[in-house]
Amino acid sequence: MLDVTVIEDPEAAAVSLDPIRARLLAELAAGPASAAMLAGQVGLPRQKVNYHLKALERHGLVELAGERRKGNVTERLMRATAASYVISPLALAAVQPDPDRFRDQLSARWLLALGARLVRDVGSLITGAAKARKGLATYALDGEVRFASAAERAAFVEELTAGVTALIRRYDAPDAEGGRDHRIVVAVHPTLKQTEPQQALP
């Protein structure tokens, strides 16, 4: 099972967003189970659970983990293909955000468009690398800082911009034969306060 995978297909995205199917995915991320086992956990008839499992399986969100005999019946044990899923903007290709339409470094909506492009591009890279059975070289930095004032935040952003710009100028080799282009995204935004997780729908 993958830790996280990306959903690019619109139909698969729609399937995953159904509340019942999302609940089944959550249950199967915890471990393999049969339709009968899941029926007891989610409070639905086995036939209905089986119907939803087949829809999830058709779109690659769950897979067969094994089979077991129970009396005269052979039960299929299913498992989620990933512990968590991210829906790519490619699932809404006609209306996906385009950060190149406008550039405003102080706009939260532009930051959101950049984040959406990051999900789309990295998701596609992961999908392509998996098909080619190759590794994918990436790097991410995540951290938090508390600014004493808006002026301190502005000074930080100015230094950050200058530092990253200097690094880009130092290492950028546009004419290097055999080189590969990389995208750099640096973001600063307020930390979201943690809230209690919502209960999954039955």
Side-chain angles (χ1 to χ4, degrees):
M1 179 193 296
L2 299 171
D3 178 53
V4 61
T5 195
V6 64
I7 298 173
E8 297 177 328
D9 178 66
E11 292 184 10
V15 165
S16 71
L17 290 172
D18 176 271
I20 293 174
R21 292 168 183 169
R23 171 73 185 275
L24 293 174
L25 280 176
E27 294 290 344
L28 291 173
S34 67
M37 295 164 63
L38 289 167
Q41 292 169 356
V42 301
L44 292 172
R46 180 184 60 80
Q47 293 87 348
K48 192 167 186 178
V49 169
N50 207 39
Y51 167 78
H52 289 300
L53 286 176
K54 286 180 179 177
L56 290 167
E57 186 178 14
R58 275 196 307 272
H59 291 92
L61 301 173
V62 302
E63 62 188 3
L64 183 66
E67 295 180 334
R68 70 176 184 182
R69 294 284 298 176
K70 192 171 183 182
N72 295 326
V73 178
T74 300
E75 287 189 329
R76 300 176 81 228
L77 296 173
M78 306 301 293
R79 67 182 171 203
T81 54
S84 57
Y85 300 84
V86 174
I87 296 177
S88 169
L90 286 176
L92 292 169
V95 292
Q96 63 179 305
D98 181 6
D100 292 329
R101 274 201 296 262
F102 64 95
R103 296 181 66 87
D104 182 354
Q105 291 178 304
L106 299 179
S107 167
R109 296 188 187 280
W110 189 60
L111 175 56
L112 187 62
L114 286 175
R117 184 177 64 187
L118 180 66
V119 169
R120 182 198 69 195
D121 291 354
V122 175
S124 295
L125 287 167
I126 289 172
T127 301
K131 287 179 181 175
R133 300 186 179 218
K134 291 184 177 179
L136 181 61
T138 63
Y139 169 78
L141 178 65
D142 180 40
E144 290 188 27
V145 58
R146 174 172 287 195
F147 297 112
S149 65
E152 289 286 302
R153 179 187 179 280
F156 175 87
V157 168
E158 185 176 344
E159 286 189 47
L160 180 65
T161 302
V164 172
T165 300
L167 281 172
I168 291 173
R169 287 176 179 160
R170 178 178 176 185
Y171 288 99
D172 187 27
D175 299 324
E177 190 174 337
R180 183 169 183 182
D181 293 337
H182 284 69
R183 183 173 297 282
I184 300 164
V185 178
V186 179
V188 176
H189 64 81
T191 303
L192 194 64
K193 291 183 178 178
Q194 295 296 319
T195 57
E196 290 295 319
Q198 294 184 347
Q199 294 293 323
L201 294 176

